[in-house]
């Protein structure tokens, strides 16, 4: 497939990396020559320097025979015009745009993106995606990563194993025998910075970061087995009252169970806007690094502190101060992936990577059709792909033990109609089943072949 990616920033570069690794014909467009050079030097892609919304630039990028344009520049308006030009001049079949401004995302204006108006097939909102990721972290405070699959019946959870974990030095085979009724499957382990798909004989050790597929009804029991408790979040302090913080506060207000939330926002206009939009949430105007203001916000009694400003260092420092003051849990928004390794040393419990959430959302829409969901794990080290099994798929009608999956691939969950099935060696995969598969990034093309869901198929 031929794809043009407009914008070579963090998101554009990561999407280019994913798609080029899967042997797609990828061209990256950006008006910053350094970003274009970085993409062409590190990835198997072509690069064009220029403004993505200019017709002559898109033509140089090969828009006349492109299958898809992904507009992910820093400007909403450039992204919108790029999609319009791609449609009106070059008739590109599929157009995806990243839009940040909330005014463009209001539901009452959704007709704006019809083909006879602004022809954008998929609109991605980074702020909305990040707010949803933050809410998932708050819902499962014992996990450093969470994502729902199989229509919410199953959760992928990232769990850090501490020294007091009761099942350390236990192999996965022994865990299955000990907890035979537990609907949970370990599909990934990160050890000493390396992520791999474990085998039944592999043991679990302290400081391992594991990824587990868990039936929603078994989350509490699973966390207890791995030495965690899932406490209710009744008091939440949010640092940052912009689109992300405001979105989280509005979602918390909409919940049936009462959550006491407070927002700290440094910019007075943004603080006033948040206060006008919220009913029960207290908004404090001031510096989130000020110990007195943190004390006024009650961080010492907070079940969770969510730091979602647009400054990574402010988020991290505020989280550290909140934990030192007595907050039970701290969650940070971190744009720079190089800062992630030091979060554990700072006693920060979980983080949200905006790039990963946006990349996951774009991949979900790229792999459309029978693919239901795609989630990018870690720094795009792996993907979880949820798809419906076709009759033409090589795995249809076979037992899992008889399928030649690559070493970096494991089946995490299966739905047969409305019935959840824990994947075992003797489990048979049939046409129409919906399966969730964990795959290291290098093995994604083979997973697509096995599922018959390559982009070209659609």
């Amino acid at each position: 497939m031929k794809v043009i990616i407009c914008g070579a920033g963090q998101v554009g570069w990561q999407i280019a990396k994913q798609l080029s690794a899967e042997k797609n014909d990828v061209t990256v467009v950006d008006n910053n020559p350094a970003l274009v050079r970085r993409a062409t030097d590190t990835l198997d892609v072509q690069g064009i320097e220029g403004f993505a919304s200019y017709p002559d630039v898109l033509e140089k990028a090969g828009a006349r025979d492109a299958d898809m344009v992904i507009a992910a520049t820093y400007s909403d308006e450039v992204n919108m015009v790029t999609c319009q030009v791609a449609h009106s001049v070059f008739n590109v079949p599929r157009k995806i745009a990243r839009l940040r401004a909330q005014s463009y995302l209001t539901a009452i204006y959704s007709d704006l993106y019809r083909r006879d108006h602004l022809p954008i097939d998929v609109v991605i909102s980074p702020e909305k995606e990040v707010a949803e990721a933050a809410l998932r972290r708050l819902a499962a405070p014992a996990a450093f990563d969470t994502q729902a699959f199989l229509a919410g019946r199953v959760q992928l959870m990232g769990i850090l194993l501490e020294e007091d974990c009761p099942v350390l030095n236990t192999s996965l085979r022994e865990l299955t025998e000990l907890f035979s009724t537990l609907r949970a499957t370990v599909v990934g382990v990160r050890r000493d910075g390396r992520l791999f798909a474990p085998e039944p004989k592999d043991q679990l050790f302290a400081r391992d970061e594991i990824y587990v597929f868990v039936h929603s009804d078994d989350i509490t029991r699973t966390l207890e087995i791995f030495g965690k408790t899932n406490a209710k979040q009744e008091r939440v302090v949010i640092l940052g009252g912009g689109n992300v913080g405001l979105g989280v506060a509005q979602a918390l207000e909409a919940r049936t169970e009462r959550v006491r939330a407070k927002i700290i926002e440094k910019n007075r206009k943004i603080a006033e806007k948040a206060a006008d939009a919220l009913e029960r949430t207290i908004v404090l105007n001031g510096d989130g690094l000020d110990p007195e203001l943190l004390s006024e916000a009650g961080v010492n009694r907070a079940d969770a502190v969510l730091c979602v400003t647009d400054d990574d260092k402010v988020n991290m420092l505020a989280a550290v101060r909140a934990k030192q003051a007595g907050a039970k849990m701290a969650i940070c928004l971190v744009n720079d992936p190089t800062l992630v390794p030091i979060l554990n040393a700072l006693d920060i419990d979980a983080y949200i990577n905006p790039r990963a959430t946006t990349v996951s959302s774009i991949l979900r829409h790229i792999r459309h059709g029978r693919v239901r969901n795609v989630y990018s794990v870690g720094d795009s080290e792996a993907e979880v792909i949820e798809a419906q099994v076709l009759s033409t798929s090589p795995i249809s009608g076979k037992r899992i033990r008889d399928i030649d999956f690559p070493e970096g691939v494991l089946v995490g969950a299966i739905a047969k109609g409305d019935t959840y099935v824990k994947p075992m060696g003797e489990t048979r995969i049939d046409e129409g089943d919906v399966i969730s598969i964990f795959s290291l990034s290098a093995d994604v093309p083979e997973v697509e072949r096995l599922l018959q869901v390559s982009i070209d198929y659609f």
Side-chain angles (χ1 to χ4, degrees):
M1 187 173 74
K2 186 167 185 177
V3 184
I4 299 173
I5 299 173
C6 303
Q10 290 187 357
V11 170
W13 186 87
Q14 195 63 54
I15 290 293
K17 178 183 176 183
Q18 300 269 130
L19 296 183
S20 63
E22 295 165 18
K23 307 305 180 186
N24 293 289
D25 183 356
V26 178
T27 301
V28 173
V29 179
D30 202 293
N31 66 332
N32 185 329
L35 292 180
V36 173
R37 190 163 53 251
R38 182 186 71 152
T40 54
D41 288 349
T42 59
L43 305 173
D44 184 17
V45 301
Q46 300 175 68
I48 299 292
E49 182 188 339
F51 287 92
S53 56
Y54 289 3
D56 60 323
V57 173
L58 282 178
E59 182 158 29
K60 286 180 186 175
R64 290 204 180 275
D65 58 351
D67 299 294
M68 180 182 297
V69 165
I70 301 172
T73 75
Y74 290 106
S75 167
D76 288 356
E77 289 72 25
V78 168
N79 293 340
M80 296 164 79
V81 172
T82 297
C83 290
Q84 181 71 70
V85 172
H87 174 80
S88 301
V89 179
F90 301 109
N91 198 28
V92 178
R94 192 162 177 81
K95 293 138 317 260
I96 297 175
R98 179 177 66 172
L99 303 180
R100 286 191 171 90
Q102 294 303 297
S103 183
Y104 290 136
L105 304 169
T106 305
I108 59 173
Y109 305 132
S110 58
D111 276 358
L112 177 64
Y113 307 112
R114 281 178 13 205
R115 292 181 71 82
D116 53 344
H117 293 159
L118 264 176
I120 302 174
D121 301 297
V122 177
V123 173
I124 304 295
S125 166
E127 283 82 2
K128 181 181 177 183
E129 298 289 336
V130 170
E132 291 175 355
L135 289 165
R136 289 196 299 270
R137 300 291 191 278
L138 289 172
F144 65 80
D145 199 357
T146 56
Q147 178 69 25
F149 289 91
L150 300 184
R153 283 176 286 177
V154 175
Q155 293 282 333
L156 175 71
M157 305 183 72
I159 302 172
L160 172 64
L161 303 186
E162 306 283 3
E163 301 289 348
D164 58 353
C165 173
V167 293
L168 294 183
N169 305 314
T170 305
S171 72
L172 297 182
R173 181 181 288 110
E174 290 173 313
L175 279 179
T176 302
E177 294 169 354
L178 285 169
F179 306 101
S180 57
T181 61
L182 184 71
R183 291 170 292 181
T185 304
V186 178
V187 293
V189 177
R190 183 182 289 106
R191 182 176 297 154
D192 299 326
R194 185 179 74 88
L195 183 65
F196 62 93
E199 298 180 4
K201 63 179 175 56
D202 286 331
Q203 294 178 307
L204 300 177
F205 302 112
R207 311 312 299 171
D208 280 355
E209 295 178 354
I210 65 171
Y211 289 89
V212 191
F213 269 101
V214 188
H215 191 282
S216 296
D217 293 340
D218 287 357
I219 287 176
T220 300
R221 186 182 171 207
T222 301
L223 288 171
E224 289 174 351
I225 288 169
F226 291 113
K228 304 287 184 178
T229 56
N230 214 20
K232 290 184 79 173
Q233 307 295 299
E234 297 178 345
R235 292 184 176 89
V236 178
V237 176
I238 302 168
L239 179 63
N243 291 331
V244 175
L246 177 59
V248 171
Q250 288 174 324
L252 293 176
E253 285 192 345
R255 289 184 177 178
T256 52
E257 68 274 18
R258 192 171 180 83
V259 178
R260 299 177 186 176
K262 294 180 181 179
I263 288 179
I264 300 174
E265 171 53 52
K266 191 173 184 179
N267 183 296
R268 185 172 183 83
K269 286 186 178 180
I270 295 175
E272 289 175 348
K273 180 182 176 182
D276 290 340
L278 297 165
E279 296 180 5
R280 300 192 306 271
T281 305
I282 296 172
V283 180
L284 303 174
N285 176 218
D287 188 349
L289 293 177
D290 183 349
E292 291 185 6
L293 188 59
L294 289 173
S295 177
E296 183 182 345
V299 294
N300 60 315
R301 301 187 306 277
D303 295 305
V305 174
L306 180 65
C307 304
V308 288
T309 76
D310 57 3
D311 189 318
D312 288 355
K313 296 177 180 64
V314 169
N315 292 337
M316 294 168 68
L317 286 171
V320 170
R321 284 203 159 168
K323 286 297 290 286
Q324 289 178 339
K328 295 186 178 74
M329 179 187 185
I331 304 171
C332 269
L333 183 71
V334 180
N335 288 278
D336 184 352
T338 64
L339 295 174
V340 171
I342 68 175
L343 296 180
N344 283 338
L346 296 175
D347 195 27
I348 296 173
D349 301 281
Y351 71 94
I352 303 161
N353 183 338
R355 180 181 68 178
T357 57
T358 306
V359 167
S360 292
S361 185
I362 292 174
L363 288 174
R364 191 179 310 137
H365 293 290
I366 289 176
R367 299 193 174 95
H368 59 293
R370 299 292 181 169
V371 172
R372 306 290 187 85
N373 201 350
V374 175
Y375 184 62
S376 181
V377 175
D379 191 19
S380 295
E381 302 156 273
E383 283 184 31
V384 178
I385 300 173
E386 179 180 291
Q388 187 172 24
V389 177
L390 304 173
S391 60
T392 54
S393 168
I395 67 175
S396 180
K398 290 185 178 180
R399 300 186 187 277
I400 290 178
R401 63 159 53 97
D402 298 327
I403 300 171
D404 188 21
F405 284 119
E407 287 185 7
V409 174
L410 285 174
V411 179
I414 302 173
K416 292 180 178 289
D418 294 329
T419 304
Y420 163 84
V421 177
K422 179 180 177 179
M424 307 292 285
E426 65 272 12
T427 304
R428 175 177 156 141
I429 297 176
D430 297 308
E431 177 189 354
D433 289 354
V434 178
I435 64 174
S436 295
I437 292 180
F438 173 93
S439 171
L440 296 180
S441 294
D443 295 316
V444 167
E446 177 62 11
V447 170
E448 289 190 319
R449 187 192 71 80
L450 290 171
L451 291 172
Q452 290 291 292
V453 293
S454 68
I455 302 170
D456 294 334
Y457 183 84
F458 301 101

